[in-house]
Amino acid sequence: MKTRGMYFLLLVFAAVLPAGCAGVVPLPDPPKVSLVDMAVTNVTLMETSYRVTLRVMNPNDGSLHVRGVDCEIDLNGEPFAAGVHAVDVTIAPFGTEILQVPLYSSHVSLFRRVMGLQEKAELDYRLKGRLRLAGGATPSRTVPFFSEGKWTLKGPPAEK
C-alpha cells in the first residue's frame, strides 16, 4: 500500500514538473523602443494631453505579445509627462510595430520646461518605461525600455 502512494506522488510530481519549468524560460532580449512623434491632443486649465508614437522593434526569434505600456518623458533631466495604455499587439520575430500612448503633463511642469528653454537651442529628452508582455502559460512579464535623444529647437539658418 505504501508503494502505491509513492507511485502516485511520483506520478503527480512528474506531471507538475514540466509546468514548473515553463516559468523558468529566460526573458527575451529587450525590445528596442524609440520615440517617433509627439503631438498635443488636448489642453485644459490644469493639464495638457499628448499622443506619443513609439516604434517597438523585436530582436528575438519568437514573437512578443504586448498587452500594455507605461512610459514617461523627461526633458532636460526633469519629469515632463507620463501615461499608461492597454494594447493588444503581437510583434513578429525581428519585426516592428508602432504604438500610440497617451501622456499627460501638468501646466506647472510645462511652464517650468518652457522657461528653461529660452537660452537653449537643444532639448534633451529621455523616454523610459515598461512593456507588459503576455506570458502564455506563465504570468505576464514586464520588460523595461529606455531611449534618449535631442530635439533641435532652432529652425534652419536664415538664407543670406
Side-chain angles (χ1 to χ4, degrees), residues 67 85 144:
R67 294 184 335 122
H85 192 58

Side-chain angles (χ1 to χ4, degrees), residues 47-108:
E47 177 180 79
T48 301
S49 302
Y50 305 90
R51 183 188 69 248
V52 174
T53 305
L54 306 176
R55 177 174 302 283
V56 182
M57 293 185 276
N58 178 8
N60 296 285
D61 290 344
S63 61
L64 293 177
H65 183 183
V66 180
R67 294 184 335 122
V69 60
D70 72 276
C71 63
E72 56 189 63
I73 294 180
D74 295 345
L75 297 180
N76 290 336
E78 297 290 329
F80 175 68
V84 298
H85 192 58
V87 297
D88 187 10
V89 174
T90 299
I91 305 172
F94 304 107
T96 183
E97 288 289 334
I98 296 290
L99 303 180
Q100 293 189 344
V101 181
L103 297 186
Y104 308 94
S105 70
S106 73
H107 286 299
V108 173

